[in-house]
């Protein structure tokens, strides 16, 4: 294969000229620090073009750590005896969400394991979940993202009616063989279809990749294609965080470089979308490098005194209060970034719901 030169690729990226598969793979595989910094600089320039110096801050309520599934990578997996199991009551969830709203977050993310009490308990279970969303929306007035795993379409419709604006449900990988090793006994098609359905009922959708679990560069490029076809308004990646007592623990932690390269390439391919820098991978110490790679959302902000655990970093930086709006301000300043206003976020959401829901998917950067 002819040697690929970085300059023309970055020039195409800056002018939003679609990149070829080989060019994208070249960027993903970069290891030279100076070259990677040039890619990150291009990513930051593109982020600035659409978002100036603004970042969006998402408050998290991990309200149940019970799960009916056994994902090979996950702390909440049903057979992990080491998982700290809890299920917050509706009033506790509302209390925590209101406290988060007070700190200035622009969205409340309600995350749970696929808790059988909600998802395998017939109408009553679904109703309790819908009620939690309704109460959080009513009491905070904030945009709400739900991350409940796979739910029936009818239930998703009710969750949207109750106030859920976003649906997050990550495929992890679009390589079906790898998917089967990650999300044990879970249908690939079902998990994909409910996201597509969410789009048809006007919800904003987040798609996500898990890296460092046997994925190859071609898998990641294929995932970018799937994200494009889905029209996901928020796209993310997270490095695998090994969990004691789980099947993939022996894989160990991947090198962060791939996650950072992916964030930058996502910014180049989807310049006008939301791309998280998750605190649930490396905590506060990992925030600046993820933002410098082009991310523009800080996720997994968790209040320190509420008995909540993250899903990949169950305790890191939580009790210390580092995963709070106040706790991240220095890192934001170091990156030359400031929190966006709630009005700006709501306006962005409204625009996307109007424009991306229809055929006009905006100028995509993939040339296929
Ligand atoms: N149960 C819901 C679900 O599976 O969609 C929500 C739980 S949480 C948001 C699920 C996501 O967290 C997974 O899709 C995965 O991307 C991420 N995650 C879970 N365990 C992880 C780990 N050990 N390392 C990195 N990411 C992890
Ligand atoms: C995060 N632990 O952002 C959360 C989660 C749920 N919508 C996202 C993966 O890191
Ligand atoms: Fe359950 Fe979600 Fe973890 Fe899978 S990723 S074990 S569905 S909480």
């Amino acid at each position: 294969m002819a040697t690929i030169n970085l300059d023309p690729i970055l020039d195409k990226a800056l002018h939003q000229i679609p990149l070829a598969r080989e060019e994208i793979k070249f960027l993903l595989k970069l290891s030279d620090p100076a070259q990677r910094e040039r890619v990150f600089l291009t990513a930051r320039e593109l982020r600035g073009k659409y978002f100036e110096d603004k970042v969006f801050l998402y408050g998290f309520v991990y309200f149940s750590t019970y799960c009916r599934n056994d994902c090979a990578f996950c702390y909440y997996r049903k057979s992990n005896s080491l998982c700290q199991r809890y299920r917050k009551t509706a009033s506790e969830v509302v209390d925590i969400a209101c406290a988060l709203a007070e700190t200035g977050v622009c969205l409340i993310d309600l995350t749970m394991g696929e808790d059988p009490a909600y998802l395998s308990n017939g109408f009553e279970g679904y109703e309790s979940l819908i009620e939690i969303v309704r109460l959080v929306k009513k009491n905070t007035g904030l945009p709400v993202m739900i991350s409940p795993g796979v739910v029936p379409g009818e239930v998703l419709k009710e969750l949207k009616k109750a106030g859920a604006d976003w649906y997050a449900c990550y495929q992890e990988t679009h390589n079906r063989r790898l998917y089967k090793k990650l999300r044990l006994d879970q249908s690939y098609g079902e998990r994909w279809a409910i996201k597509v359905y969410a789009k048809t009922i006007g919800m904003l959708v987040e798609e996500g990749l898990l890296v460092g679990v046997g994925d190859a560069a071609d898998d990641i490029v294929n995932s970018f294609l799937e994200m494009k076809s889905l029209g996901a308004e928020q796209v993310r990646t997270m490095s695998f965080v090994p969990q004691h007592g789980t099947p993939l623990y022996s894989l160990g932690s991947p090198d962060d470089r791939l996650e950072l390269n992916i964030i930058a390439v996502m910014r180049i391919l989807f310049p006008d979308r939301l791309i998280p820098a998750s605190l649930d991978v490396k905590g506060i110490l990992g925030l600046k490098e993820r933002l410098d790679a082009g991310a523009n959302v800080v996720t997994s902000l968790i209040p320190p005194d509420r008995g909540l655990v993250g899903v990949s970093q169950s305790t890191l930086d939580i009790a210390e209060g580092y995963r709070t709006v106040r706790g991240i301000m220095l890192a934001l300043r170091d990156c030359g970034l400031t929190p966006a206003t709630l009005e700006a976020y709501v306006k962005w959401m409204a625009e996307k719901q109007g424009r991306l829901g229809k055929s006009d998917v905006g100028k995509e950067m993939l040339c296929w």
Side-chain angles (χ1 to χ4, degrees), residues 267-339:
R267 179 56 65 203
I268 288 172
L269 300 181
F270 304 96
D272 65 340
R273 302 298 161 85
L274 300 184
I275 303 173
S278 166
L279 290 164
D280 214 19
V281 182
K282 283 280 168 60
I284 185 68
L285 291 182
L287 182 57
K288 180 171 185 328
E289 57 190 0
R290 282 161 178 78
L291 291 169
D292 284 345
N296 63 335
V297 183
V298 179
T299 65
S300 208
L301 289 163
I302 304 177
D305 47 4
R306 301 287 186 148
L308 299 179
V309 299
V311 68
S312 31
Q313 286 290 3
S314 48
T315 58
L316 180 64
D317 291 342
I318 299 174
E320 300 81 353
Y322 297 150
R323 287 169 69 168
T324 59
V325 172
R326 183 198 297 257
I328 64 167
M329 285 316 282
L330 217 53
L332 295 189
R333 218 167 293 145
D334 278 357
C335 299
L337 298 170
T338 57

Side-chain angles (χ1 to χ4, degrees), residues 224-236:
F224 294 148
L225 271 173
E226 296 294 348
M227 289 171 165
K228 174 193 172 185
S229 77
L230 177 63
E233 289 83 6
Q234 183 163 303
V235 290
R236 72 149 71 208

